[in-house]
Amino acid sequence: MIFVLGAIEVLLLLFAYVFAVYPTWTTFIYEELGIKLVLTTIPQDVAAVAPDIIEYYDVDASSKHDQLKKKLQQSEKLLQNILPPVISRRLKNGETCIADDHKSVTVVFAALMGFDEYSINMGAREIVMFLNDLIVSFDQIVDVLELEKIKTIGDVYFLCGGLTKKTESDHAIRCMEAAMFFIEALEEHNIRHRTPNIALRVGVNTDPAVAGVIGHKKVAYDLWGDSVNTASRMQSTGLPGRIQISEKTYEEVRQYYGFTSRSITAKGKGELTTYLFHRRIKSTPFSHVNWRHNTD
């Protein structure tokens, strides 16, 4: 007896065969050649019923897996530009609420001073290109010291050290080096752009913090706690062209750098003893790193 199968029956048999042999969708995707061979036997009326399947596995689609892989790699790179790599991996692994307590981190705020003097004579594109040139240098410094950029807030750059296992024992030193490299990068930037009156005011503090991911459609990795508040006060009460650190950071780094102590009144903190960086006393493991290399 000969049975004549219609288009729908053939299509159902095809799917039954595929999912019996390839029980997971991942295996199904990676077995393209076998599926293409099966599809060569499908009549034209079945092809008309399932055009999307035929299109995906057509003769010219041998590179579609490579294209998909490339798109996934691009998405991965974009995600890592937004979030620290360890955080992006946790999100991809299915964590829906990422919140971490850190017993000790070092936070740095670096604010541009005097930029308004120049920006009033710049167009929108010129302002963005000017700032981007500087921020790219800051990003390279953060990358080479294996710190974490949290975000930029207007003309303030916000970074943190101690969020990873690799930096949890020496984050204060790494952040001090970053602050010094930032000032060095700005000096070079000012020479290139002929903006000698722009200075950097840097604040540094070491304290506990909470780090986590917030948002749904536009996710952001952020930091909360006294470490952030005090570092912000160190920056806002500092001096242009100088690095001001808190007493807690001072205790962590004083063997490597020389400071001048001072007393300030900080909003919400009252009277505080702080320290202005003066000079380097001895080298650190990060004193001579090359932050000028291209990180792309």
Side-chain angles (χ1 to χ4, degrees), residues 175-242:
C175 286
M176 276 300 301
E177 295 291 344
M180 288 186 282
F181 288 151
F182 276 17
I183 291 176
E184 188 177 296
L186 178 61
E187 289 172 352
E188 296 179 5
H189 182 270
N190 284 342
I191 292 171
R192 288 196 303 273
H193 293 273
R194 299 178 182 178
T195 52
N197 296 333
I198 296 180
L200 206 61
R201 190 173 66 193
V202 184
V204 185
N205 178 53
T206 303
D207 253 321
V210 172
V213 176
I214 56 174
H216 175 57
K217 291 186 177 179
K218 294 184 178 181
V219 297
Y221 183 68
D222 215 336
L223 211 64
W224 303 270
D226 202 51
S227 56
V228 179
N229 298 332
T230 303
S232 179
R233 300 296 183 269
M234 293 298 102
Q235 182 276 121
S236 62
T237 60
L239 300 176
R242 303 294 297 273

Side-chain angles (χ1 to χ4, degrees), residues 249-261:
T249 303
Y250 172 75
E251 293 298 327
E252 296 287 335
V253 303
R254 64 180 182 175
Q255 62 180 309
Y256 296 101
Y257 317 102
F259 297 90
T260 303
S261 64

Side-chain angles (χ1 to χ4, degrees), residues 14 40 45 60 93 275:
L14 169 66
T40 58
D45 57 344
D60 298 323
N93 288 337
Y275 300 84

Side-chain angles (χ1 to χ4, degrees), residues 4-11 41-51 54:
V4 179
L5 298 178
I8 299 300
E9 289 87 348
V10 171
L11 189 60
T41 64
I42 295 181
Q44 289 299 319
D45 57 344
V46 178
V49 174
I54 304 302

Side-chain angles (χ1 to χ4, degrees), residues 11-68:
L11 189 60
L12 290 173
L13 284 173
L14 169 66
F15 276 106
Y17 167 76
V18 167
F19 286 105
V21 178
Y22 310 106
T24 67
W25 182 253
T26 302
T27 308
F28 173 68
I29 292 296
Y30 280 91
E31 296 291 341
E32 289 181 305
L33 291 176
I35 296 172
K36 286 179 185 178
L37 182 61
V38 174
L39 290 175
T40 58
T41 64
I42 295 181
Q44 289 299 319
D45 57 344
V46 178
V49 174
D52 290 341
I53 298 177
I54 304 302
E55 182 182 354
Y56 188 90
Y57 291 104
D58 64 14
V59 176
D60 298 323
S62 59
S63 65
K64 287 198 174 182
H65 173 65
D66 291 336
Q67 293 172 6
L68 178 61

